Amino acid sequence: MKATRILAAFAALNGAAAVGLGAFAAHGAGPQVEPLLATGAHYQLVHAVLALLCAVWPGQDRWIVTAGWLAAGGGLVFALALSAIALLNLRAMGALAPVGGLLMISAWLLTGLAALRTQTSRA
């Protein structure tokens, strides 16, 4: 299976998980944990979409594929860290959330660089 198909599938599953987390935040979580869960779901969903975009990017190179994995992984790590804090009271996971944030920022920067490097065909 082509690596970008795996990325697309992972991004789609990540997006589905984000919707589930967001639904739980809105309808099942208590008011104390809702903001953390909603924030995690939001970032996870946005970065699942970025990863999916990277998976279908025309003229893919390793930069854009790497950006996709960074986006998907970063969104997931961030959302899981916030969920662990909210649901399991694992405050130590607060140290993991910035790692997810750094991965997401790196994904955006690589996506921008890949956009500048993309060769367009001239008709």
Side-chain angles (χ1 to χ4, degrees):
M1 184 179 284
K2 194 173 176 184
T4 53
R5 289 180 63 198
I6 296 170
L7 175 58
F10 184 73
L13 290 172
N14 217 355
V19 171
L21 181 60
F24 177 68
H27 304 292
Q32 300 287 5
V33 298
E34 186 272 334
L36 280 174
L37 296 177
T39 299
H42 174 82
Y43 277 84
Q44 185 180 11
L45 184 59
V46 167
H47 289 85
V49 172
L50 176 59
L52 192 57
L53 172 71
C54 292
V56 299
W57 190 281
Q60 293 169 345
D61 61 13
R62 67 179 183 191
W63 289 44
I64 198 64
V65 174
T66 301
W69 283 109
L70 289 170
L76 183 61
V77 167
F78 187 75
L80 286 174
L82 293 186
S83 296
I85 293 167
L87 299 174
L88 303 174
N89 202 28
L90 293 176
R91 298 283 175 214
M93 294 301 282
L96 190 57
V99 173
L102 183 60
L103 294 173
M104 292 183 289
I105 292 167
S106 298
W108 285 108
L109 293 173
L110 269 181
T111 302
L113 289 172
L116 293 173
R117 291 172 37 97
T118 299
Q119 299 290 326
T120 57
S121 61
R122 296 183 183 162

